Amino acid sequence: MSQTRRQLIQIILANLSSGEPSQDFPITEDTVNLWLNGAIAAAAMKSYTDNAADGYDYISDGFYGRFTDLPLTLDNNSGLYNATLPQLPAGVPVGWDVSVAQIKHTDPDSLAVTLSLPLMRITRQRIGYYNRLPRPHNAVCFYFDNVLVSIDSPVVLNPAQDKLNVTCITAGETDMDSVLRIGEEQLGYITDYLRKNLMPEALTVPDTSDNGRNIPIR
Amino acid sequence: MSASRFIPLDDCVYAYMNRANLPDAHRGRLWSIAFECAEEMNLDVFNSIKTRKLDVGPNMTARLPQGCKWTKIGVLNSNGEVATLKQNKNMTLYSALDTARLTLDQDANQGASTFLTQFPNFYYNFWYEGGLYNLFGIATGSNSAGEFTVDEENGVILLNNNFPNSYIIVEGIYPPDQSQEVLVPYECKPAIIKYIGWGDIEFLPQSRRKNIGETQSRRREYYNQRRLAKMRISPIQLWIGNDIYRESLLYAVKS
C-alpha cells in the first residue's frame, strides 16, 4: 500500500466529519497522527489473536519493517554491546515483536557487506539465568530493555564496522508524508479503531459563543 | 563440522521448532532442553568416546580429565592396543593428592599381608603349607600391566607404587561440551526431536498447550524413538555374527 500517513488521516477525518471537515472541527490531523501508531499496534495484536485462536500463530508480514545500520556501543562495565531502536516494538507475543536481528559487517578494505545469521533472542524471563544454562556454541544473544538492545557476543565486535539490523513490527515514521507500512486488509480495523476512539471528541459541540477562547468571560 | 554421520544439535532444535510452529525466540530454551537430551543419550545410546594419553606424576597419580567417565585405563602395547590395568579396589585413596603419596600409602611394618593369609606374602594363586601352588579350579587372576584405582570425587587416578610407565592411556565417555558445536549421530535426531517436544511442555501448568495426556504421549514417543535409535546405531552386522560363531567353536571335553 503506497498510502501516506497524511492521506489516511484525511480519509479518517472525512469519515468522522461526514464529509469535508470544517475549520473548527475539533480533531486535527496531528491528533489522528498521535492515535495512529496505537491503532496499528492494536491491529497487529488483533492479527495475532485472530490467528492464534485457530492454534496457528501468525501476524501479517505487512506490519514488519527493517531498521538498518543501528550503531553499536560497547558497555565496558557489562561487556555488552548496546544499540537503540528508533521505535519501541509492538507488544505482541515474544518472537513476533522483533522477528530478526542480525549483525551487518562491512569489510574496511573491500567494503563487502556480510550479514550474520539471526542472533538468538533471550526472552524477558530468561535474562536472569541464561548464562547458567547451556547454550549453543558461539551464539550471539540479544534482549531488550524498552528500546535498548543489549547484545552478548562471544566474538569481539567492532562498532566501526559492525552495525545492527533489526526487523520488527513498526508503524513507520511519524512524518506525515511517509508511506504507511500496513497491509490493506488491516485498514478496516485501523479505521474502526480510530473512529471509535476519536468519536467522543468529534461529537463535542464547538463553543461558538466566546470567539474561540476557552477561558470563560466573567 | 564433522564429515561423519554426526549432525549439529541445532538441526534437531530447528526441526522441532519448525514442526511446532514456534518462533525463533524459543531457540535458547529449546536448545537447553536438547542439550540435556544429548547428555542423557551420550550415556545410554551413543557414546562420545575419547582416548587421552596422560602423564603419570612422580607420586604415581594422574589427573582424570574433566567430565571423564572412564571405561578403560591402560598402557600401549606393541600391537597398537591398550593393555588394560587391573582395577584394585583395595588400593587406598589415602593421601591421593599428596606429593609424598608413595611414602604415606604404605606401612612397612605390616608386610604385604592379604586378608587371606597372615603370612607376609603376595597371594598369587593358592597358599598351602609354606608354598604357592597352581590348583585346578581356582582362578589364576588376570595378567595386567599394573594396578589402579580411581578417586572419582577428586578426579585422580592412583597407580600402584611401582608402576613402571610414565604415562597411561585413558578411554572414557565425555559429556557434550557446550564450548564447541555439539554434534549428535543423525540416527538420534528423531529421538532428540521427540525429547524436545516432551521437554517443551513437561513442566508447564495445564493450559491450551499442555495437558496430561499430551505430555504422556510425547514421553512415550520419545522412549519409542530412543529404542529405535539404539537399534539404528548398532545394527547387527554379518561379521559380528560370524565372529560370535567362530569364537564359540572350541575343542573341549564332551560332558
Side-chain angles (χ1 to χ4, degrees):
Chain A
M1 192 175 78
S2 58
Q3 207 170 29
T4 62
R5 289 176 85 93
R6 190 187 302 279
Q7 285 168 332
L8 177 63
I9 287 167
Q10 284 175 348
I11 291 171
I12 306 278
L13 280 175
N15 192 293
L16 285 169
S17 60
S18 309
E20 187 71 18
S22 59
Q23 278 189 332
D24 57 354
F25 190 63
I27 301 172
T28 62
E29 287 185 358
D30 286 343
T31 314
V32 183
N33 200 17
L34 279 178
W35 280 89
L36 190 53
N37 280 5
I40 293 170
M45 190 65 197
K46 175 135 192 335
S47 171
Y48 175 80
T49 48
D50 284 358
N51 289 308
D54 298 330
Y56 188 74
D57 289 18
Y58 181 71
I59 292 181
S60 168
D61 290 339
F63 289 108
Y64 288 88
R66 187 180 300 167
F67 296 120
T68 54
D69 295 328
L70 302 177
L72 297 173
T73 52
L74 174 62
D75 180 348
N76 284 317
N77 293 326
S78 62
L80 300 173
Y81 294 90
N82 291 333
T84 308
L85 283 183
Q87 196 180 60
L88 187 65
V92 292
V94 70
W96 289 104
D97 48 356
V98 174
S99 66
V100 181
Q102 289 167 297
I103 301 287
K104 176 184 157 189
H105 177 75
T106 308
D107 189 273
D109 300 322
S110 65
L111 300 180
V113 173
T114 45
L115 273 180
S116 73
L117 287 171
L119 312 190
M120 198 170 90
R121 172 77 176 271
I122 303 298
T123 54
R124 172 56 45 184
Q125 77 271 31
R126 290 180 63 81
I127 290 173
Y129 55 80
Y130 85 103
N131 272 325
R132 292 177 175 273
L133 282 176
R135 58 178 153 145
H137 173 54
N138 268 353
V140 183
C141 305
F142 75 104
Y143 58 85
F144 283 95
D145 295 305
N146 204 291
V147 292
L148 183 72
V149 188
S150 300
I151 298 168
D152 185 5
S153 171
V155 291
V156 177
L157 300 176
N158 182 347
Q161 297 159 15
D162 299 317
K163 307 287 179 196
L164 183 67
N165 283 6
V166 171
T167 303
C168 64
I169 289 185
T170 170
E173 300 85 6
T174 47
D175 176 47
M176 281 293 200
D177 294 315
S178 65
V179 176
L180 271 170
R181 298 196 195 105
I182 49 170
E184 289 188 357
E185 77 283 359
Q186 306 299 333
L187 211 53
Y189 181 79
I190 290 172
T191 315
D192 281 353
Y193 178 93
L194 289 171
R195 206 163 41 199
K196 191 174 77 183
N197 286 293
L198 290 170
M199 193 57 85
E201 213 169 327
L203 291 177
T204 309
V205 180
D207 185 357
T208 54
S209 60
D210 59 1
N211 292 328
R213 290 196 300 172
N214 286 332
I215 304 164
I217 299 169
R218 292 179 189 275
Chain B
M1 185 187 152
S2 166
S4 63
R5 61 194 169 84
F6 281 69
I7 56 168
L9 191 59
D10 251 356
D11 283 12
C12 306
V13 176
Y14 275 109
Y16 172 72
M17 280 161 60
N18 180 37
R19 289 193 197 180
N21 194 31
L22 289 171
D24 199 48
H26 287 259
R27 183 178 163 218
R29 185 173 73 86
L30 297 175
W31 201 92
S32 303
I33 294 170
F35 188 81
E36 287 168 26
C37 180
E39 283 179 321
E40 184 181 317
M41 293 187 99
N42 181 37
L43 295 173
D44 299 342
V45 182
F46 65 94
N47 303 125
S48 165
I49 301 274
K50 291 190 181 82
T51 304
R52 287 188 172 152
K53 189 176 180 182
L54 306 177
D55 288 336
V56 173
N59 62 348
M60 292 300 162
T61 61
R63 275 272 163 204
L64 195 63
Q66 180 69 33
C68 174
K69 181 178 168 58
W70 64 271
T71 51
K72 197 186 279 181
I73 294 178
V75 291
L76 295 173
N77 67 9
S78 57
N79 291 335
E81 297 165 336
V82 179
T84 50
L85 310 185
K86 183 182 174 188
Q87 185 176 17
N88 182 352
K89 291 199 168 181
N90 283 341
M91 205 183 274
T92 179
L93 300 182
Y94 175 68
S95 73
L97 298 172
D98 203 309
T99 50
R101 167 181 170 248
L102 299 186
T103 55
L104 295 172
D105 71 347
Q106 53 185 310
D107 184 351
N109 296 328
Q110 297 294 334
S113 311
T114 68
F115 60 93
L116 285 174
T117 169
Q118 55 182 311
F119 300 107
N121 288 73
F122 293 101
Y123 185 73
Y124 288 118
N125 188 330
F126 197 81
W127 176 265
Y128 182 67
E129 294 195 351
L132 285 162
Y133 297 87
N134 289 323
L135 296 179
F136 287 112
I138 300 290
T140 54
S142 55
N143 186 17
S144 71
E147 293 184 343
F148 74 97
T149 190
V150 182
D151 184 351
E152 298 276 359
E153 200 172 343
N154 289 314
V156 184
I157 301 168
L158 306 167
L159 300 155
N160 53 322
N161 284 7
N162 48 4
F163 184 71
N165 298 70
S166 60
Y167 72 92
I168 50 170
I169 297 286
V170 175
E171 240 178 50
I173 303 170
Y174 287 78
D177 181 2
Q178 58 160 316
S179 68
Q180 299 173 10
E181 186 165 38
V182 177
L183 298 170
V184 290
Y186 76 85
E187 295 97 329
C188 293
K189 186 176 176 183
I192 294 176
I193 293 172
K194 298 291 181 188
Y195 184 92
I196 301 170
W198 176 31
D200 184 22
I201 61 167
E202 189 184 3
F203 299 120
L204 294 180
Q206 298 280 346
S207 68
R208 187 168 62 85
R209 273 185 72 201
K210 182 249 167 78
N211 60 58
I212 293 170
E214 176 74 19
T215 314
Q216 285 302 311
S217 94
R218 289 188 186 199
R219 177 177 173 273
R220 278 197 299 276
E221 276 296 313
Y222 163 63
Y223 279 108
N224 192 37
Q225 283 297 338
R226 199 172 91 141
R227 181 181 61 82
L228 293 174
K230 271 186 179 174
M231 291 162 66
R232 286 168 184 153
I233 274 190
S234 50
I236 294 175
Q237 289 163 330
L238 186 61
W239 68 269
I240 297 178
N242 281 342
D243 271 3
I244 292 171
Y245 173 71
R246 286 171 188 150
E247 285 171 11
S248 61
L249 283 179
L250 301 172
Y251 282 116
V253 180
K254 272 192 170 182
S255 60

